[in-house]
Amino acid sequence: MGLTTEVLPLAELEGAIQRRARHLGAHYTPQPLAERAVAGALGPLCRGLSAEGLLRLRVLDPAVGSGRFLLAALGFLDAATGRPGRFRKAIASRCLFGIDVDPAAAALARRALAEASGCEPAALEGQIAVGDSLLDDVGSLVGAEGFDAVVTNPPWISFSGRQAGALGHGARRRLAERFRSFRRWPTTHGAFLELAARLLRPGGRAALVLPLQVCHLPGYEAARAAARERCRFEPPPEPLGEGCFAGVVQPAAIVYLAAPAAAGVAAAAAAAAELEAPQPAIGNPQSAIEGAILRLMRRHQPAPPGAFRDPGVHTGNSAELLLRDEPGEGLVPIREGRCVRPFRLGPPRRWLAASTELPAGHYCRVGPPSVYLGARILVRQTASRPIAARHVEPAHFRNSILACYGVPGLDDAALVGLLNSTLLGFYHRCCQPDSGQRAFPQVKVGHLQSLPIARDADALTPLVARIEALAARGGDGGRELSEALGRLDSLVFRLYGLDAEQAGYVRAKMSGRA
Ligand SMILES: C[S@@+](CC[C@H](N)C(=O)[O-])C[C@H]1O[C@@H](n2cnc3c(N)ncnc32)[C@H](O)[C@@H]1O
């Protein structure tokens, strides 16, 4: 269905376009948030500029949607001239540029800017273009190169994992060729961060609304590194919390970039500071007691590299060809995340056609049987804290499960006891900013690899065996199980050297009482 962008009121059109373009990541930013991001990027650029100087600035939104960032830029530049209203037309027709892959969105942005500035929409035709900012040449689309500011909330689409968006092979290859962030972890928002850094002219600034994870997850390091090659992350990202606009449940942040003033890209790279993640509790303890507990725990070393891994079967775009609900010839049992409970591994509920030849255009990842059958402990991935069980009756498992191949010098049962303990759950919650999010919290290999693991924990082994037996009875295991879990927690507190007050604090915090 086409949308008539001249007739309907703007707000109605925005709603209709967003509903129709969900697959393009169309979730328009609330105007106050767009204004905040734009002020962060344009503020330092506009300081001390005359109206003439302001009119020479070029501001681009490469995923313009209905034009909310450009409207915010129009308002900001207009106010900065000191003569509000006088230069609005000139600002719109000289300073503002936008691109959207959705022609209806681009038309809407043109109309919104025209209404706000008094320009004719046709006068903005060249500047607000239809095109693919990631795959087309931005300069030829909007007739300008090198921007003083890039401001945007790009589409947040991930092309891997269980929520993966669809992407043809050709586009995947071309995106990987153009964006090094895409090779490591294919997402549109990672590629837009890299693009923004490339499009800035010396001294330019960018502000992007991005998932908070981009600031700290190891998977986004390639995107951060690509941006750092040209820019500094300055000022530090501003966390926005969860649900900061409709259609978005994960925590977001405004991420700022500043390109060095001289053409000193190498100097920028040398001076490039690490993208500052919003400080986990260790650097900014919510209380002195929390800081003291984390310091005590950090006296213990993490597991050696490779102890935890992520080899789970990734069905890619071929789940229907690979998975069955019933056993059969040539099929092997496969577990998924929900099979992993604390101290108890449920039986596989699905079966995998592990040696299926996939037709052209299909992809998946299935490793050799030894990586599955050799895992000694399984950890659930979609969870707000580690949940682990010994890998009894070994089978294949999907990528909703992480594998542990053991820690030298530590009994597997004791390790399961540590991983499921309230104290290690507390450590994870304090140190992983995303663990508290309501939507899809995930435990990652990097998180597990950074947990401090007490090696002298063999005293836990008999108690863990008892807990496993109680947990295997099903239900919630009754009073006996909860008493045994309480004893386990007390032993773990002692192992890490917590006193009674600290242990009480951890218990209260993890049960939501602190
Ligand atoms: C999250 S919306 C944001 C729109 C606007 N910047 C705002 O914040 O209100 C993302 C927009 O990017 C557009 N888009 C998606 N992929 C794109 C691409 N490769 N190039 C240009 N625009 C794209 C979508 O059509 C959508 O309008």
Side-chain angles (χ1 to χ4, degrees):
M1 179 193 67
L3 288 164
T4 319
T5 48
E6 276 92 50
V7 184
L8 288 173
L10 279 173
E12 233 171 88
L13 273 168
E14 280 194 319
I17 293 176
Q18 286 180 84
R19 281 191 294 282
R20 207 194 53 171
R22 288 272 180 263
H23 63 291
L24 296 172
H27 298 290
Y28 299 160
T29 314
Q31 200 59 39
L33 174 51
E35 280 163 16
R36 185 165 149 195
V38 163
L42 288 184
L45 290 173
C46 293
R47 229 163 272 145
L49 286 187
S50 63
E52 223 170 68
L54 290 167
L55 285 173
R56 276 199 291 269
L57 293 177
R58 288 182 185 151
V59 181
L60 170 75
D61 182 343
V64 72
S66 60
R68 292 181 176 194
F69 279 77
L70 295 190
L71 286 173
L74 175 65
F76 192 92
L77 293 174
D78 184 34
T81 62
R83 280 175 283 175
R86 169 110 200 259
F87 298 101
R88 282 180 90 81
K89 249 187 191 177
I91 293 167
S93 60
R94 291 196 217 163
C95 304
L96 306 181
F97 300 82
I99 300 171
D100 204 290
V101 77
D102 180 355
L108 192 54
R110 253 179 246 131
R111 186 182 139 190
L113 265 185
E115 281 180 16
S117 65
C119 280
E120 284 302 313
L124 303 173
E125 198 99 340
Q127 283 167 241
I128 313 281
V130 178
D132 187 324
S133 295
L134 297 177
L135 290 175
D136 298 333
D137 177 46
V138 166
S140 355
L141 284 176
V142 292
E145 310 232 7
F147 295 89
D148 300 281
V150 174
V151 287
T152 192
N153 171 7
W156 302 1
I157 307 173
S158 177
F159 300 105
S160 64
R162 271 162 291 142
Q163 318 260 317
L167 186 68
H169 271 313
R172 185 178 287 266
R173 185 181 39 76
R174 284 196 294 143
L175 284 165
E177 277 165 14
R178 293 192 78 165
F179 296 99
R180 106 158 116 93
S181 54
F182 205 85
R183 281 169 232 157
R184 170 73 179 84
W185 190 316
T187 69
T188 48
H189 39 288
F192 268 95
L193 176 65
E194 196 175 338
L195 177 75
R198 261 186 225 170
L199 292 175
L200 288 180
R201 58 155 71 141
R205 293 189 167 254
L208 297 96
V209 175
L210 296 175
L212 176 66
Q213 294 186 331
V214 173
C215 305
H216 58 81
L217 267 196
Y220 288 105
E221 178 47 31
R224 294 192 294 264
R228 275 200 307 268
E229 254 174 31
R230 293 164 181 269
C231 298
R232 294 182 305 278
F233 283 97
E234 195 188 285
E238 265 179 65
L240 299 170
E242 286 175 53
C244 57
F245 53 98
V248 169
V249 284
Q250 52 182 311
I254 306 177
V255 174
Y256 296 102
L257 297 175
V265 170
E274 270 290 312
L275 171 53
E276 286 284 321
Q279 284 299 305
I282 194 80
N284 177 21
Q286 287 186 354
S287 64
I289 193 169
E290 209 160 295
I293 295 167
L294 296 175
R295 274 193 297 280
L296 276 176
M297 296 184 75
R298 291 223 158 160
R299 293 190 307 196
H300 297 266
Q301 291 299 311
F308 293 94
R309 278 183 253 156
D310 184 14
V313 169
H314 184 347
T315 52
N317 64 355
S318 312
E320 281 176 15
L321 298 173
L322 293 170
L323 294 176
R324 307 272 192 285
D325 292 330
E326 305 289 339
E329 203 182 331
L331 303 180
V332 296
I334 183 163
R335 288 191 173 90
E336 32 206 4
R338 62 196 163 135
C339 301
V340 184
R341 309 253 178 86
F343 301 100
R344 178 175 162 218
L345 199 59
R349 299 189 198 164
R350 306 196 80 185
W351 283 263
L352 173 76
S355 39
T356 299
E357 293 269 321
L358 293 179
H362 282 259
Y363 61 88
C364 70
R365 179 188 72 183
V366 182
S370 57
V371 304
Y372 306 104
L373 307 182
R376 292 175 17 201
I377 294 169
L378 300 188
V379 183
R380 191 197 285 194
Q381 198 207 29
T382 308
S384 58
R385 47 151 304 162
I387 292 176
R390 278 201 275 183
H391 194 194
V392 286
E393 296 174 29
H396 281 64
F397 47 88
R398 295 184 74 177
N399 60 339
S400 45
I401 290 179
L402 304 173
C404 174
Y405 295 90
V407 169
L410 186 58
D411 179 73
D412 286 347
L415 181 52
V416 165
L418 288 178
L419 290 170
N420 288 318
S421 68
T422 300
L423 184 57
L424 276 267
F426 169 86
Y427 188 91
H428 177 79
R429 290 263 172 90
C430 289
C431 296
Q432 306 306 336
D434 281 355
S435 60
Q437 75 186 46
R438 288 186 298 274
F440 308 114
Q442 295 202 335
V443 174
K444 307 274 188 194
V445 168
H447 301 167
L448 296 170
Q449 285 288 156
S450 67
L451 290 172
I453 302 290
R455 302 302 203 276
D456 46 355
D458 288 350
L460 303 182
T461 301
L463 183 55
V464 170
R466 171 93 189 114
I467 292 173
E468 286 173 335
L470 290 168
R473 285 190 200 160
D476 60 8
R479 229 182 60 205
E480 250 184 302
L481 178 57
S482 59
E483 278 171 10
L485 291 171
R487 278 205 305 283
L488 177 83
D489 277 339
S490 302
L491 280 176
V492 174
F493 289 139
R494 219 171 303 146
L495 266 175
Y496 284 86
L498 272 65
D499 63 24
E501 188 195 353
Q502 292 167 330
Y505 178 85
V506 171
R507 284 201 156 106
K509 175 129 186 173
M510 291 304 282
S511 61
R513 287 182 281 119

